[in-house]
Amino acid sequence: MAEFSTPLSMGDLKLKNRVIMAPLTRSRATADRVPTPMMAEYYAQRASSGLIISEATVISEEANGYLNTPGLFTDAQTQGWKQVTEAVHAKDGLIVAQLWHVGRVSHPDLLEGETPVSASAVQQAGYVSLLRPKREYVVPRPLKISEIQAITEQYKQAAIRAKAAGFDGVELHAANGYLIDQFLQSKTNLREDEYGGSVENRARFLLEVVDALIEVWGAGRVGVHLAPRGDEHDMGDANPKETFGYVLEELGKRKIAFFFTREYLAEDSISDYMKQRSGGVPYIANMRLSREDAMDLLQSGQADAVSFGKAYIANPDLYERLLADAPLNELVLETMIGSQVAEGYIDYPTLEESSAEVTA
């Protein structure tokens, strides 16, 4: 039976354990989306995890939907990430870059007045995250086929930069209602061309991008991030099992390194079904997992690895705490996003540091 400490091979990635740090937007990069030395320290603190998946990293300025999120489309950004990967590797860690285009989850105020793009002109309900004063999302502009191809090339160029920056691989962000997901799910894809309609057409963009990433990295260092519930950013699909089952079947044919699902455990969860359709692609489970949930998933073989998000923000030594069944630091929500200071970012104590304070 697999345990937290059991090593794992995911494609060409050799993990020392099965506890994964989930991608976590922290908005700590510079205004030009350059990773900072403080970010290098943050990731290095968490390098005891089996694998770190970086925070979502935009592939172009037009891909953004949030201030101060990092990018991988300039030389300065590449060099900034190189500091991060070197710091993680110095602690015997592994880190892959999560590549990101938000699509309609943006606003003209973040895009120099340009209209956000998507699969179709379907407006997202709600208000733009973190922009003040509050403003509603706008109706996005459907991408032309030539633009879809251009964005695929941007993903490829970002993957090339990720290699130059010293990452160990890449993960395609195809979840949470961002651009790839907007093409995949039927609620947001009303197209009538080769990128819309059937599940094969709606999945085309995702698979074309994966193929472009494989050209750069080889299949054994490419992962895909999926959200089959469609419970973020006003998403939805008429038949999630058909849609995501098809995607996993195709990813299985490509023998990618892993797939990751953001899906809480419930009777209607389909991640296990997706794993069955994948032909053996390693599966990383995520979302609201307790220690006991994670242990059960590993021991039963339902998941190959388990991932934690918010718990990793507050606990740089989360892997060690899970092994020891030790108490966790409490997350401070007020400092989670968007500050250029150490507070709430690199100052959460390890269990050893907390014990030393008590005995001092």
Side-chain angles (χ1 to χ4, degrees), residues 103-108 115-128 135-142 177 182 186-190 232-236:
R104 69 174 186 168
V105 189
S106 191
H107 190 276
T115 301
V117 298
S118 186
S120 303
V122 180
Q123 183 177 8
Q124 179 179 325
Y127 296 92
V128 183
R135 61 213 79 176
E136 293 183 342
Y137 289 102
V138 302
V139 178
R141 177 178 65 80
Q182 291 159 32
S186 61
K187 182 176 179 179
T188 46
N189 188 338
L190 309 181
E232 280 281 307
H233 293 125
D234 194 23
M235 295 299 294

Side-chain angles (χ1 to χ4, degrees), residues 11 13 21 30 41 81 90 118 134 157 208 213 218 233 245 250 262 271 277 281 287 313 339:
L13 299 169
M21 179 178 167
T30 69
E41 183 174 353
W81 275 120
S118 186
K134 283 189 175 183
Q157 292 303 315
E208 287 178 348
L213 302 181
H233 293 125
E250 289 298 312
R262 179 189 174 279
S271 290
R277 290 285 297 272
V281 174
M287 197 173 180
I313 292 176
S339 170

Side-chain angles (χ1 to χ4, degrees), residues 15 54 68 85 100 109 116 119 127 132 139 157 162 199 212 334 354:
L15 280 61
S54 84
N68 297 103
T85 62
W100 190 33
D109 290 350
Y127 296 92
R132 298 294 181 269
V139 178
Q157 292 303 315
V199 63
E334 292 77 13
S354 295

Side-chain angles (χ1 to χ4, degrees), residues 59 72 99 153-163 170:
I59 59 171
L72 255 176
L99 304 182
E153 180 61 24
Q154 289 177 342
Y155 276 108
K156 184 175 181 178
Q157 292 303 315
I160 291 170
R161 286 189 176 277
K163 184 172 279 191
V170 291

Side-chain angles (χ1 to χ4, degrees), residues 6-277:
T6 307
L8 173 66
S9 291
M10 298 195 308
D12 296 330
L13 299 169
K14 309 302 180 186
L15 280 61
K16 58 193 175 187
N17 63 63
R18 300 191 181 216
V19 177
I20 312 298
M21 179 178 167
L24 293 157
T25 291
R26 306 299 307 277
S27 295
R28 253 68 175 198
T30 69
D32 293 332
R33 307 191 182 280
V34 176
T36 65
M38 190 166 65
M39 289 173 61
E41 183 174 353
Y42 165 76
Y43 281 110
Q45 287 176 342
R46 289 151 179 82
S48 64
S49 60
L51 176 69
I52 294 171
I53 304 175
S54 84
E55 63 204 274
T57 301
V58 290
I59 59 171
S60 68
E61 191 58 44
E62 298 76 28
N64 98 82
Y66 306 84
L67 298 172
N68 297 103
T69 53
L72 255 176
F73 56 90
T74 71
D75 291 345
Q77 293 161 0
T78 305
Q79 288 303 309
W81 275 120
K82 193 170 184 179
Q83 294 180 59
V84 174
T85 62
E86 288 175 348
V88 170
H89 292 154
K91 294 286 189 71
D92 193 31
L94 287 176
I95 181 169
V96 299
Q98 187 187 65
L99 304 182
W100 190 33
H101 192 308
V102 306
R104 69 174 186 168
V105 189
S106 191
H107 190 276
D109 290 350
L110 295 167
L111 301 172
E112 297 186 346
E114 294 295 319
T115 301
V117 298
S118 186
S120 303
V122 180
Q123 183 177 8
Q124 179 179 325
Y127 296 92
V128 183
S129 297
L130 306 179
L131 278 187
R132 298 294 181 269
K134 283 189 175 183
R135 61 213 79 176
E136 293 183 342
Y137 289 102
V138 302
V139 178
R141 177 178 65 80
L143 285 165
K144 301 173 185 176
I145 289 178
S146 61
E147 292 175 310
I148 296 170
Q149 295 167 345
I151 290 173
T152 300
E153 180 61 24
Q154 289 177 342
Y155 276 108
K156 184 175 181 178
Q157 292 303 315
I160 291 170
R161 286 189 176 277
K163 184 172 279 191
F167 283 99
D168 298 295
V170 291
E171 185 196 58
L172 174 63
H173 198 340
N176 300 357
Y178 296 119
L179 183 62
I180 301 290
D181 208 15
Q182 291 159 32
F183 273 78
L184 183 61
Q185 298 201 44
S186 61
K187 182 176 179 179
T188 46
N189 188 338
L190 309 181
R191 300 176 75 96
E192 297 179 352
D193 59 16
E194 59 262 48
Y195 288 93
S198 67
V199 63
E200 293 84 1
N201 283 354
R202 287 184 281 113
R204 189 182 305 278
F205 187 22
L206 186 161
L207 296 172
E208 287 178 348
V209 174
V210 168
D211 289 341
L213 302 181
I214 289 172
E215 285 181 32
V216 177
W217 279 96
R221 292 184 181 272
V222 173
V224 175
H225 198 95
L226 297 161
R229 286 196 180 278
D231 54 357
E232 280 281 307
H233 293 125
D234 194 23
M235 295 299 294
D237 189 76
N239 190 337
K241 286 187 77 170
E242 178 189 35
T243 297
F244 289 92
Y246 172 77
V247 168
L248 263 297
E249 202 168 272
E250 289 298 312
L251 295 177
K253 292 175 184 176
R254 289 160 172 81
K255 301 188 186 306
I256 66 167
F258 65 89
F259 77 99
F260 177 119
T261 61
R262 179 189 174 279
E263 184 187 48
Y264 61 81
L265 300 176
E267 288 186 6
D268 60 348
S269 299
I270 66 168
S271 290
D272 186 52
Y273 170 77
M274 293 164 66
K275 178 175 168 61
Q276 293 170 30
R277 290 285 297 272

